[in-house]
mmCIF file of all heavy atoms in Angstrom:
data_model
loop_
_atom_site.group_PDB
_atom_site.id
_atom_site.type_symbol
_atom_site.label_atom_id
_atom_site.label_comp_id
_atom_site.label_asym_id
_atom_site.label_seq_id
_atom_site.Cartn_x
_atom_site.Cartn_y
_atom_site.Cartn_z
ATOM 1 N N VAL A 894 83.807 -23.741 -16.169
ATOM 2 C CA VAL A 894 84.447 -24.518 -15.098
ATOM 3 C C VAL A 894 83.504 -25.607 -14.595
ATOM 4 O O VAL A 894 83.928 -26.738 -14.350
ATOM 5 C CB VAL A 894 84.918 -23.603 -13.942
ATOM 6 C CG1 VAL A 894 85.407 -24.428 -12.760
ATOM 7 C CG2 VAL A 894 86.021 -22.663 -14.417
ATOM 8 N N ILE A 897 83.656 -28.453 -17.028
ATOM 9 C CA ILE A 897 84.933 -29.173 -16.890
ATOM 10 C C ILE A 897 84.922 -30.039 -15.628
ATOM 11 O O ILE A 897 85.320 -31.212 -15.666
ATOM 12 C CB ILE A 897 86.114 -28.181 -16.882
ATOM 13 C CG1 ILE A 897 86.261 -27.541 -18.263
ATOM 14 C CG2 ILE A 897 87.416 -28.878 -16.465
ATOM 15 C CD1 ILE A 897 87.198 -26.345 -18.304
ATOM 16 N N VAL A 898 84.464 -29.487 -14.510
ATOM 17 C CA VAL A 898 84.417 -30.237 -13.250
ATOM 18 C C VAL A 898 83.496 -31.448 -13.389
ATOM 19 O O VAL A 898 83.815 -32.540 -12.909
ATOM 20 C CB VAL A 898 83.989 -29.325 -12.076
ATOM 21 C CG1 VAL A 898 83.658 -30.129 -10.836
ATOM 22 C CG2 VAL A 898 85.082 -28.315 -11.772
ATOM 23 N N VAL A 901 85.293 -34.080 -15.410
ATOM 24 C CA VAL A 901 86.312 -34.708 -14.562
ATOM 25 C C VAL A 901 85.655 -35.690 -13.596
ATOM 26 O O VAL A 901 86.133 -36.815 -13.404
ATOM 27 C CB VAL A 901 87.142 -33.645 -13.796
ATOM 28 C CG1 VAL A 901 88.001 -34.282 -12.717
ATOM 29 C CG2 VAL A 901 88.006 -32.858 -14.767
ATOM 30 N N VAL A 913 88.571 -49.635 -7.553
ATOM 31 C CA VAL A 913 88.200 -49.719 -6.134
ATOM 32 C C VAL A 913 87.626 -51.103 -5.827
ATOM 33 O O VAL A 913 87.153 -51.798 -6.722
ATOM 34 C CB VAL A 913 87.194 -48.611 -5.737
ATOM 35 C CG1 VAL A 913 87.803 -47.241 -5.915
ATOM 36 C CG2 VAL A 913 85.887 -48.738 -6.487
ATOM 37 N N ASN A 915 84.913 -53.946 -4.247
ATOM 38 C CA ASN A 915 83.466 -54.074 -4.462
ATOM 39 C C ASN A 915 82.637 -53.301 -3.443
ATOM 40 O O ASN A 915 81.506 -52.942 -3.707
ATOM 41 C CB ASN A 915 83.047 -55.539 -4.470
ATOM 42 C CG ASN A 915 83.518 -56.240 -5.724
ATOM 43 O OD1 ASN A 915 83.685 -55.615 -6.766
ATOM 44 N ND2 ASN A 915 83.748 -57.529 -5.623
ATOM 45 N N SER A 927 81.250 -45.576 8.639
ATOM 46 C CA SER A 927 80.019 -45.943 9.334
ATOM 47 C C SER A 927 78.947 -46.417 8.353
ATOM 48 O O SER A 927 77.890 -46.869 8.768
ATOM 49 C CB SER A 927 79.496 -44.765 10.165
ATOM 50 O OG SER A 927 79.213 -43.669 9.342
ATOM 51 N N LYS A 959 64.229 -15.238 -4.507
ATOM 52 C CA LYS A 959 63.269 -15.323 -3.403
ATOM 53 C C LYS A 959 63.847 -14.783 -2.095
ATOM 54 O O LYS A 959 63.176 -14.064 -1.360
ATOM 55 C CB LYS A 959 62.814 -16.762 -3.213
ATOM 56 C CG LYS A 959 61.782 -16.910 -2.118
ATOM 57 C CD LYS A 959 61.259 -18.311 -2.015
ATOM 58 C CE LYS A 959 60.216 -18.366 -0.899
ATOM 59 N NZ LYS A 959 59.592 -19.635 -0.777
ATOM 60 N N PHE A 968 76.500 -14.722 -10.119
ATOM 61 C CA PHE A 968 76.414 -15.409 -8.827
ATOM 62 C C PHE A 968 75.755 -16.773 -8.988
ATOM 63 O O PHE A 968 76.178 -17.760 -8.385
ATOM 64 C CB PHE A 968 75.644 -14.550 -7.821
ATOM 65 C CG PHE A 968 75.509 -15.185 -6.476
ATOM 66 C CD1 PHE A 968 76.613 -15.361 -5.659
ATOM 67 C CD2 PHE A 968 74.275 -15.625 -6.020
ATOM 68 C CE1 PHE A 968 76.499 -15.957 -4.397
ATOM 69 C CE2 PHE A 968 74.149 -16.220 -4.770
ATOM 70 C CZ PHE A 968 75.256 -16.387 -3.963
ATOM 71 N N SER A 970 75.717 -18.678 -11.674
ATOM 72 C CA SER A 970 76.714 -19.548 -12.325
ATOM 73 C C SER A 970 77.786 -19.977 -11.330
ATOM 74 O O SER A 970 78.255 -21.114 -11.349
ATOM 75 C CB SER A 970 77.379 -18.829 -13.495
ATOM 76 O OG SER A 970 76.455 -18.630 -14.530
ATOM 77 N N ASN A 973 76.426 -22.735 -9.100
ATOM 78 C CA ASN A 973 76.416 -23.982 -9.863
ATOM 79 C C ASN A 973 77.812 -24.604 -9.883
ATOM 80 O O ASN A 973 77.978 -25.796 -9.626
ATOM 81 C CB ASN A 973 75.921 -23.700 -11.278
ATOM 82 C CG ASN A 973 75.228 -24.873 -11.898
ATOM 83 O OD1 ASN A 973 74.595 -25.663 -11.221
ATOM 84 N ND2 ASN A 973 75.345 -24.981 -13.199
ATOM 85 N N TYR A 975 80.298 -23.952 -7.781
ATOM 86 C CA TYR A 975 80.699 -24.259 -6.412
ATOM 87 C C TYR A 975 80.172 -25.634 -5.983
ATOM 88 O O TYR A 975 80.904 -26.459 -5.452
ATOM 89 C CB TYR A 975 80.190 -23.158 -5.474
ATOM 90 C CG TYR A 975 80.366 -23.490 -4.026
ATOM 91 C CD1 TYR A 975 81.616 -23.399 -3.432
ATOM 92 C CD2 TYR A 975 79.293 -23.930 -3.260
ATOM 93 C CE1 TYR A 975 81.778 -23.719 -2.094
ATOM 94 C CE2 TYR A 975 79.453 -24.250 -1.930
ATOM 95 C CZ TYR A 975 80.701 -24.144 -1.355
ATOM 96 O OH TYR A 975 80.869 -24.470 -0.041
ATOM 97 N N ASN A 977 79.262 -28.119 -7.877
ATOM 98 C CA ASN A 977 79.922 -29.176 -8.639
ATOM 99 C C ASN A 977 81.316 -29.472 -8.098
ATOM 100 O O ASN A 977 81.750 -30.622 -8.074
ATOM 101 C CB ASN A 977 79.959 -28.839 -10.130
ATOM 102 C CG ASN A 977 78.659 -29.185 -10.810
ATOM 103 O OD1 ASN A 977 78.139 -30.282 -10.637
ATOM 104 N ND2 ASN A 977 78.122 -28.261 -11.561
ATOM 105 N N CYS A 983 83.789 -34.642 -2.732
ATOM 106 C CA CYS A 983 83.227 -35.807 -2.035
ATOM 107 C C CYS A 983 83.604 -37.102 -2.750
ATOM 108 O O CYS A 983 83.974 -38.093 -2.109
ATOM 109 C CB CYS A 983 81.710 -35.681 -1.929
ATOM 110 S SG CYS A 983 81.185 -34.353 -0.837
ATOM 111 N N TYR A 986 87.228 -37.833 -2.140
ATOM 112 C CA TYR A 986 87.445 -38.293 -0.772
ATOM 113 C C TYR A 986 87.114 -39.773 -0.633
ATOM 114 O O TYR A 986 87.849 -40.521 0.011
ATOM 115 C CB TYR A 986 86.623 -37.470 0.225
ATOM 116 C CG TYR A 986 86.922 -37.874 1.643
ATOM 117 C CD1 TYR A 986 88.041 -37.376 2.295
ATOM 118 C CD2 TYR A 986 86.122 -38.782 2.321
ATOM 119 C CE1 TYR A 986 88.343 -37.754 3.594
ATOM 120 C CE2 TYR A 986 86.412 -39.172 3.616
ATOM 121 C CZ TYR A 986 87.529 -38.654 4.242
ATOM 122 O OH TYR A 986 87.827 -39.046 5.526
ATOM 123 N N TYR A 990 89.935 -42.419 0.460
ATOM 124 C CA TYR A 990 89.780 -43.258 1.654
ATOM 125 C C TYR A 990 90.099 -44.718 1.333
ATOM 126 O O TYR A 990 90.720 -45.407 2.138
ATOM 127 C CB TYR A 990 88.368 -43.127 2.226
ATOM 128 C CG TYR A 990 88.260 -43.734 3.598
ATOM 129 C CD1 TYR A 990 88.547 -42.976 4.725
ATOM 130 C CD2 TYR A 990 87.915 -45.068 3.775
ATOM 131 C CE1 TYR A 990 88.474 -43.516 5.990
ATOM 132 C CE2 TYR A 990 87.848 -45.626 5.043
ATOM 133 C CZ TYR A 990 88.126 -44.851 6.141
ATOM 134 O OH TYR A 990 88.074 -45.398 7.397
ATOM 135 N N ARG A 995 93.365 -40.757 5.484
ATOM 136 C CA ARG A 995 92.477 -40.700 6.647
ATOM 137 C C ARG A 995 92.372 -39.279 7.191
ATOM 138 O O ARG A 995 92.855 -38.957 8.259
ATOM 139 C CB ARG A 995 92.974 -41.641 7.757
ATOM 140 C CG ARG A 995 93.028 -43.092 7.385
ATOM 141 C CD ARG A 995 91.623 -43.632 7.093
ATOM 142 N NE ARG A 995 91.615 -45.061 6.861
ATOM 143 C CZ ARG A 995 91.627 -45.631 5.661
ATOM 144 N NH1 ARG A 995 91.683 -44.888 4.575
ATOM 145 N NH2 ARG A 995 91.591 -46.948 5.532
ATOM 146 N N THR A 997 89.492 -36.039 7.955
ATOM 147 C CA THR A 997 88.052 -35.896 8.145
ATOM 148 C C THR A 997 87.512 -35.006 7.028
ATOM 149 O O THR A 997 88.020 -33.908 6.792
ATOM 150 C CB THR A 997 87.715 -35.280 9.516
ATOM 151 O OG1 THR A 997 88.382 -34.028 9.629
ATOM 152 C CG2 THR A 997 88.131 -36.193 10.652
ATOM 153 N N SER A 1000 86.399 -31.231 7.684
ATOM 154 C CA SER A 1000 87.351 -30.108 7.652
ATOM 155 C C SER A 1000 87.601 -29.648 6.215
ATOM 156 O O SER A 1000 87.763 -28.457 5.968
ATOM 157 C CB SER A 1000 88.662 -30.490 8.333
ATOM 158 O OG SER A 1000 89.224 -31.634 7.737
ATOM 159 N N VAL A 1007 83.931 -21.928 3.611
ATOM 160 C CA VAL A 1007 84.448 -20.603 3.981
ATOM 161 C C VAL A 1007 84.938 -19.861 2.740
ATOM 162 O O VAL A 1007 84.579 -18.701 2.511
ATOM 163 C CB VAL A 1007 85.570 -20.731 5.036
ATOM 164 C CG1 VAL A 1007 86.297 -19.412 5.235
ATOM 165 C CG2 VAL A 1007 84.995 -21.236 6.354
ATOM 166 N N GLY A 1009 84.220 -20.573 -0.425
ATOM 167 C CA GLY A 1009 83.092 -20.389 -1.333
ATOM 168 C C GLY A 1009 82.180 -19.258 -0.914
ATOM 169 O O GLY A 1009 81.720 -18.471 -1.744
#
Side-chain angles (χ1 to χ4, degrees):
V894 172
I897 292 168
V898 168
V901 169
V913 297
N915 288 332
S927 61
K959 182 175 181 176
F968 180 68
S970 292
N973 209 32
Y975 171 76
N977 278 312
C983 292
Y986 184 82
Y990 192 88
R995 299 296 186 263
T997 57
S1000 57
V1007 169

